[in-house]
Amino acid sequence: MGSVAASKTRVLAVANQKGGVAKTTTVASLGAALAELGHRVLLVDLDPQACLTFSLGIDPEDLELSVHHVLTKGLPASEVVIETDDGVDLLPATIELARAEADLLTRTGREHVVRTALEELAEGGTRYDWVLLDCPPSLGVLTVAALTAADGVLVPLQCETLSHRGVGQLLDTVHDVRRFTNRGLEVWGVLPTLYDGRTNHARAVLDNVAATYRLDVLEPPIPKSIRFAEAPAVGRSILSTSRRHRGADAYRAVAASLTQR
Ligand SMILES: Nc1ncnc2c1ncn2[C@@H]1O[C@H](COP(=O)(O)OP(=O)(O)O)[C@@H](O)[C@H]1O
Ligand SMILES: [Mg+2]
């Protein structure tokens, strides 16, 4: 655990306003992979559906406090963060987060609520090497607040679909965030997910998106596999439920490449 403790915290937002593209799976799996490499990792669930929280074995119904209290009531994140069996810490969400979007809409500084919460956590002495932000499937206040807190954004993309327009909108939002709230935000690239390497179609879609928007493509693609659907049911990521699976190894390889940036 100690080898990387001195480095600066890197905050990565995993965002795409399209649902079902493996944002949450990517956050859980990359988090577990980074933890395997000895990094201290915090995952932040910013989706009111709380899928990340569920998938790490925590029932949101059992939680008194969640990320909603941190973002809208100023509760210190340190009072809400929980350790998980997957070797990462989690700032969990509950359905109450659905109200945060409306609560924050009229608040000064709403774009900065995630950044401020993370800064306060660091100032309180809790150090992480990585903070991964699991964004909701929209480009609303919570996603903008995540992008404002982030050093980089990673865009999971399901290559079967021709969702080019969605990518353009997301990049427009990134540009706005860069202009108004977070000059340093970088797009780290698209991550091909639910990838079916047997078809040329997936590769063609990917090449097209990368060229159209001049985006880097992170390698390797994450293969489509039923194993991914099974892992959340037992509250662990695929890295522990199917340790030697090629899907787990793909996320390990992506995590290793992120640490090289
Ligand atoms: N590589 C994969 N192969 C097969 N199914 C996957 C893969 N990655 C994610 N899934 C499944 O796809 C669904 C959507 O994934 P999720 O991570 O919740 O997406 P999002 O957070 O973008 O909505 C989930 O049921 C998940 O288990
Ligand atoms: Mg999700």
Side-chain angles (χ1 to χ4, degrees):
M1 279 262 169
S3 59
V4 286
S7 62
K8 142 181 196 312
T9 306
R10 276 157 293 178
V11 181
L12 181 61
V14 177
N16 185 335
Q17 72 274 32
K18 195 165 157 38
V21 298
K23 288 181 291 298
T24 299
T25 304
T26 295
V27 166
S29 305
L30 284 182
L34 288 165
E36 274 186 1
L37 291 172
H39 294 250
R40 286 196 42 124
V41 180
L42 174 67
L43 308 184
V44 182
D45 193 347
L46 290 172
D47 187 346
Q49 301 299 316
C51 292
L52 178 65
T53 301
F54 264 116
S55 73
L56 290 170
I58 292 144
D59 186 346
E61 302 254 317
D62 296 338
L63 296 171
E64 298 262 310
L65 299 172
S66 65
V67 68
H68 160 258
H69 298 92
V70 177
L71 301 184
T72 67
K73 307 206 188 305
L75 189 77
S78 56
E79 292 183 26
V80 183
V81 167
I82 38 190
E83 285 179 28
T84 73
D85 294 339
D86 237 30
V88 299
D89 284 359
L90 172 71
L91 191 50
T94 69
I95 191 66
E96 281 185 290
L97 187 59
R99 276 212 319 272
E101 197 101 15
D103 286 353
L104 288 170
L105 214 52
T106 56
R107 297 264 288 271
T108 305
R110 60 182 175 273
E111 289 97 346
H112 300 275
V113 286
V114 175
R115 166 174 286 220
T116 301
L118 295 178
E119 281 171 0
E120 286 171 356
L121 197 57
E123 283 158 14
T126 314
R127 303 291 312 175
Y128 291 102
D129 301 302
W130 288 89
V131 177
L132 306 184
L133 307 172
D134 186 21
C135 294
S138 76
L139 294 174
V141 174
L142 292 169
T143 294
V144 170
L147 294 174
T148 299
D151 301 302
V153 53
L154 186 155
V155 184
L157 201 76
Q158 186 178 355
C159 300
E160 290 174 353
T161 55
L162 291 158
S163 53
H164 296 208
R165 226 182 269 120
V167 174
Q169 273 175 13
L170 175 60
L171 293 177
D172 286 347
T173 303
V174 167
H175 289 139
D176 283 347
V177 165
R178 253 192 219 132
R179 204 165 152 221
F180 297 117
T181 61
N182 182 11
R183 213 162 263 264
L185 178 63
E186 289 178 12
V187 179
W188 286 14
V190 295
L191 177 65
T193 55
L194 295 131
Y195 193 78
D196 185 353
R198 292 168 307 176
T199 69
N200 291 328
H201 178 63
R203 178 48 70 178
V205 169
L206 186 57
D207 289 346
N208 190 328
V209 172
T212 304
Y213 300 102
R214 296 208 221 129
L215 291 168
D216 288 337
V217 176
L218 299 180
E219 302 276 354
I222 309 300
K224 188 173 200 169
S225 162
I226 187 67
R227 294 275 169 262
F228 281 99
E230 295 168 358
V234 294
R236 303 292 294 268
S237 79
I238 189 173
L239 272 76
S240 23
T241 56
S242 303
R243 280 198 63 75
R244 298 267 59 92
H245 188 265
R246 66 204 165 84
D249 282 339
Y251 273 114
R252 286 188 185 99
V254 172
S257 79
L258 293 183
T259 65
Q260 300 303 315
R261 278 188 70 96

